[in-house]
Amino acid sequence: MQPMHHIISTREYTKEMFDEILELAEKLEPIAKGEVQSKVMDGKILALLFFEPSTRTRMSFETAMLRLGGQFINMGAVEASSIAKGESLSDTIRVVSQYADAVVLRHPREGAALMASECASTPIINAGDGAGHHPTQTLLDLYTIKRESHLDNLNIALAGDLKYGRTIHSLCYALSRYHAKINLVSPPELRLPDRIVDDLRKRNIDVTITTDMEDVIEDIDILYMTRIQRERFPDPAEFNRVSNSMRITRELIQTAKPEMKIMHPLPRVNEISFDVDDTEHAAYFKQAFYGVPVRMAILCKVLGMEDRIREMK
Ligand code: CP
């Protein structure tokens, strides 16, 4: 196993690399729930730099660090930082990476995390770079699928904004390592980019493409829904045309398998009806919790603590 320094994309991860993090996360779940205390990160500091809004990613990293006995520093709002005076991202990274043992970065520009990793003196963890990648979300998505369903012989529908959805882009490559059957469900304007479909097919993944959820709802194990992201559309008129084109309702899922689970990276706007929340299918709030043990596992890996976790009883 290669030492893991930066976490920029999971595209080239092997199944063994994914499995290793998922196993670590499982060991860490009692600490994530506060049932067991840990000081494994005592003396360590995590820096959080978020240039785009976030609730789950930012706060689950903060919780992960605190539950492990470490501390975090947060740049706070971009307007309150020296970015507002014109400081470049690379200068900010050069400075902040001297203040902390690892840096979590979310940025609207695709490739920002990779660029940051080239000028940082500590590991960079990509918390989302524009429409590029969101690798820590992918890891928690895999963990959710493993805990709430199964990763082997998985039949999954990826739905919503497949064009701009970075969680979808990262997850596709990860699912290919488990030879999942992938059904892509979106309006034609929001189809998964051809280069990713081609990559999946080159990896011998069975990919189907449809605009209608009813084509696949009876067969799937997981329905992974995503928000149509207003902020990624260059043309507001294009967003208005597609914004209400997909919605998961109780009626739609009536013919689904009883064990079919619905996931969503959140936030949702109106793409899953609120009355789906109290069905056995809804797994999206559990998925948000699983961000804590998975991000604990990522921090342990990045900061070289994984052997101490494995030795835990
Ligand atoms: N899933 C996710 O990235 O959520 P946040 O934008 O709230 O971090």
Side-chain angles (χ1 to χ4, degrees):
M1 184 85 204
Q2 293 292 311
M4 193 177 296
H5 299 296
H6 306 291
I7 302 218
I8 306 302
S9 156
T10 49
R11 190 177 153 165
E12 302 307 331
Y13 277 31
T14 61
K15 181 174 179 295
E16 289 68 33
M17 291 164 85
F18 286 123
D19 285 343
E20 190 184 9
I21 292 182
L22 304 190
E23 278 158 29
L24 271 181
E26 212 152 351
K27 273 215 102 164
L28 287 160
E29 243 196 73
I31 302 174
K33 288 177 176 157
E35 295 165 359
V36 174
Q37 308 300 306
S38 171
K39 289 280 171 213
V40 76
M41 291 286 175
D42 193 18
K44 298 286 183 195
I45 297 176
L46 180 68
L48 298 152
L49 299 185
F50 278 70
F51 292 76
E52 279 190 334
S54 169
T55 298
R56 279 146 290 274
T57 311
R58 183 171 54 81
M59 295 188 74
S60 60
F61 265 117
E62 292 173 353
T63 303
M65 204 55 189
L66 293 175
R67 290 280 197 215
L68 290 169
Q71 292 176 286
F72 63 85
I73 52 174
N74 192 337
M75 182 181 76
V78 172
E79 309 81 66
S81 75
S82 284
I83 301 280
K85 300 178 205 164
E87 186 167 43
S88 65
L89 175 62
S90 56
D91 280 1
T92 304
I93 294 290
R94 272 192 189 96
V95 172
V96 173
S97 61
Q98 299 178 88
Y99 298 162
D101 299 288
V103 177
V104 178
L105 173 68
R106 171 170 289 187
H107 198 276
R109 197 170 66 238
E110 205 169 325
L114 181 63
M115 184 282 284
S117 70
E118 286 158 4
C119 53
S121 52
T122 48
I124 296 290
I125 302 172
N126 183 4
D129 60 331
H133 294 273
H134 194 351
T136 69
Q137 179 72 43
T138 295
L139 287 158
L140 82 87
D141 290 343
L142 288 182
Y143 189 72
T144 306
I145 295 170
K146 182 178 176 190
R147 297 284 272 109
E148 302 299 317
S149 182
H150 52 89
L151 275 164
D152 294 325
N153 302 315
L154 182 72
N155 188 346
I156 186 168
L158 305 177
D161 180 355
L162 310 186
K163 180 176 179 182
Y164 298 113
R166 59 193 174 199
T167 64
I168 294 285
H169 302 170
S170 292
L171 184 58
C172 279
Y173 287 105
L175 290 170
S176 76
R177 298 300 188 202
Y178 293 88
H179 304 289
K181 175 174 168 49
I182 300 179
N183 306 278
L184 304 171
V185 190
S186 72
E189 298 89 335
L190 295 179
R191 276 177 58 166
L192 191 69
D194 286 343
R195 66 184 156 77
I196 303 181
V197 176
D198 292 345
D199 282 349
L200 293 174
R201 289 193 168 136
K202 274 185 211 144
R203 291 182 180 193
N204 289 324
I205 300 306
D206 184 357
V207 180
T208 67
I209 299 175
T210 178
T211 56
D212 191 350
M213 185 63 75
E214 288 189 12
D215 289 347
V216 298
I217 193 73
E218 291 175 21
D219 300 323
I220 53 178
D221 304 305
I222 298 279
L223 193 177
Y224 190 102
M225 189 65 196
T226 56
R227 177 175 65 96
I228 297 182
Q229 306 169 87
R230 178 193 294 271
E231 65 273 27
R232 306 269 177 240
F233 282 75
D235 176 4
E238 192 196 337
F239 170 76
N240 290 333
R241 264 196 305 278
V242 294
S243 60
N244 289 313
S245 54
M246 294 202 71
R247 185 167 162 81
I248 307 301
T249 60
R250 271 191 179 235
E251 191 187 355
L252 177 76
I253 58 177
Q254 258 172 7
T255 55
K257 296 184 204 171
E259 67 275 20
M260 187 275 290
K261 296 293 179 196
I262 303 171
M263 294 171 59
H264 190 309
L266 304 179
R268 83 172 136 184
V269 183
N270 57 8
E271 59 279 2
I272 301 179
S273 160
F274 282 93
D275 63 7
V276 173
D277 296 358
D278 54 11
T279 70
E280 288 295 310
H281 299 293
Y284 27 94
F285 292 118
K286 262 192 173 168
Q287 180 184 359
F289 164 71
Y290 289 140
V292 178
V294 169
R295 289 184 169 119
M296 289 166 87
I298 290 166
L299 291 171
C300 289
K301 193 85 193 112
V302 163
L303 296 175
M305 304 288 183
E306 72 266 33
D307 288 343
R308 287 181 60 186
I309 303 302
R310 279 196 205 93
E311 284 158 14
M312 271 179 4
K313 290 203 180 110

